[in-house]
Amino acid sequence: MEKEVERLKKRIKKNKNLPQHIAIIMDGNGRWAKKRGLPRISGHRAGVKTVKRIVRVAGELDIKFLTLFTFSTENWRRPKKEVSAIMELLYETTKKEIDELCRNNVKLITTGRIDELSPRRRQILQLAKDKTKDNTGLILNLALNYSGRIEILDAVKKMIEDVDAGQIDPEKIDQKLFSRYLYTKDLPDPDLLIRTSGELRLSNFLLWQTSYTELYITEVLWPDFSTFDFYQAILDYQKRDRRFGRIR
Ligand code: IPE
Ligand code: IPE
Ligand code: MG
């Protein structure tokens, strides 16, 4: 197996058209736990291990941006116990991993309404961002308390303010300008979107940004998502013909 993984890595490197930005809907933690008769939070804990693995491997491959859907605004609808367990796991993991992120030259950023998290959680994320801000390797973007529709509405509201203040001319609003009002203004659109555990939907993730993103959906549950699975997704992407509406 080890050899097979190395072989895939070599093939990816040889292909050259590496995706610059990979986004992942990390789904299936609950099902993973249920299958084992464990509480859902065990699934989330196992999911953190996969996050560490994929961050390391993405960095080694020289992927520039990795966006992970970590918590959606809709996820607040889950039982209080699960929500607080996820939030606590986020806090603990961020705190524990800051040094490792630095060792791996990873820069941490977030996307979403972070201001709605508790002060303690906001602070630890801020500390991690500050400590990693000069790192030049992988940019790890955690989509947290994120909703694609709310992001678009936030952009519209900000834009209206700027129109009212005379800072932008409504006639000049185009796709490029609009993108600059999104949370993701500093990131290119994702080239590849991976969703684990088989659901065929976007679940309100990066609605604007994924207009021409290549989709890859696997049945593998997030805690089981291996380096091999990740390489397979990238290799599949490298075979795609991205036409952007043109013909070839
Ligand atoms: C993804 O796993 C993690 C979050 C949404 C926070 P789920 O918890 O959604 O797992 P399933 O879909 O119930 O299996
Ligand atoms: C999407 O997964 C959100 C995250 C992975 C953080 P969900 O499990 O919340 O999506 P739905 O509810 O099945 O669409
Ligand atoms: Mg789910």
Side-chain angles (χ1 to χ4, degrees), residues 241-248:
D241 180 13
R242 301 187 78 186
R243 288 189 290 274
F244 299 97
R246 298 184 196 99
I247 54 169
R248 287 209 197 243

Side-chain angles (χ1 to χ4, degrees), residues 8-236:
L8 290 196
K9 185 175 181 181
K10 280 204 185 105
R11 271 170 59 197
I12 290 171
K13 289 274 184 200
K14 223 170 103 197
N15 280 338
K16 301 219 163 53
N17 59 335
L18 199 65
Q20 190 189 186
H21 182 180
I22 300 180
I24 307 183
I25 302 177
M26 310 185 286
D27 199 13
N29 294 349
R31 275 162 281 178
W32 183 92
K34 194 167 175 211
K35 255 176 49 183
R36 287 165 177 73
L38 296 169
R40 291 180 59 86
I41 186 65
S42 308
H44 297 311
R45 244 181 250 124
V48 170
K49 287 197 184 143
T50 306
V51 170
K52 288 197 236 170
R53 171 164 62 237
I54 298 305
V55 168
R56 183 176 43 78
V57 172
E60 283 167 8
L61 272 182
D62 286 330
I63 304 282
K64 215 45 232 158
F65 304 91
L66 179 68
T67 296
L68 301 178
F69 202 3
T70 308
F71 194 84
S72 74
T73 47
E74 290 77 16
N75 289 146
W76 295 110
R77 296 175 184 157
R78 294 186 179 197
K80 227 174 151 179
K81 202 170 130 221
E82 180 172 348
V83 170
S84 51
I86 292 173
M87 287 297 160
E88 214 32 47
L89 191 57
L90 171 73
Y91 175 85
E92 290 300 332
T93 308
T94 310
K95 197 167 144 190
K96 253 201 242 145
E97 294 302 317
I98 296 178
D99 290 343
E100 182 68 10
L101 291 174
C102 284
R103 266 194 297 278
N104 293 329
N105 200 19
V106 177
K107 175 176 170 172
L108 183 84
I109 61 170
T110 57
T111 288
R113 287 195 174 172
I114 300 303
D115 50 318
E116 289 170 1
L117 301 183
S118 75
R120 196 170 61 102
R121 289 163 189 151
R122 274 200 320 260
Q123 276 159 17
I124 198 74
L125 285 166
Q126 195 50 53
L127 182 71
K129 287 187 208 175
D130 290 345
K131 285 207 167 170
T132 61
K133 74 177 187 335
D134 296 323
N135 292 345
T136 54
L138 177 76
I139 295 180
L140 172 62
N141 178 28
L142 299 183
L144 259 174
N145 192 18
Y146 174 83
S147 149
R149 285 191 169 186
I150 291 177
E151 177 184 31
I152 291 169
L153 289 177
D154 280 348
V156 169
K157 286 182 207 160
K158 182 83 188 37
M159 224 171 203
I160 291 171
E161 275 175 28
D162 286 357
V163 168
D164 286 347
Q167 279 165 9
I168 56 169
D169 174 357
E171 289 298 319
K172 299 234 164 75
I173 298 173
D174 58 8
Q175 296 185 38
K176 203 168 153 210
L177 183 65
F178 190 76
S179 298
R180 289 215 292 269
Y181 280 82
L182 294 170
Y183 306 151
T184 54
K185 62 180 184 319
D186 299 321
L187 306 180
D189 288 344
D191 301 296
L192 170 64
L193 169 65
I194 299 171
R195 182 168 190 150
T196 57
S197 83
E199 307 299 350
L200 303 174
R201 54 177 172 261
L202 283 177
S203 302
N204 210 359
F205 190 42
L206 301 175
L207 299 179
W208 171 277
Q209 299 87 339
T210 50
S211 65
Y212 263 105
T213 299
E214 294 296 327
L215 308 178
Y216 183 90
I217 292 164
T218 168
E219 291 292 330
V220 176
L221 305 174
W222 178 249
D224 292 328
F225 191 71
S226 64
T227 304
F228 186 80
D229 296 323
F230 187 54
Y231 287 166
Q232 270 190 324
I234 296 173
L235 271 170
D236 196 84

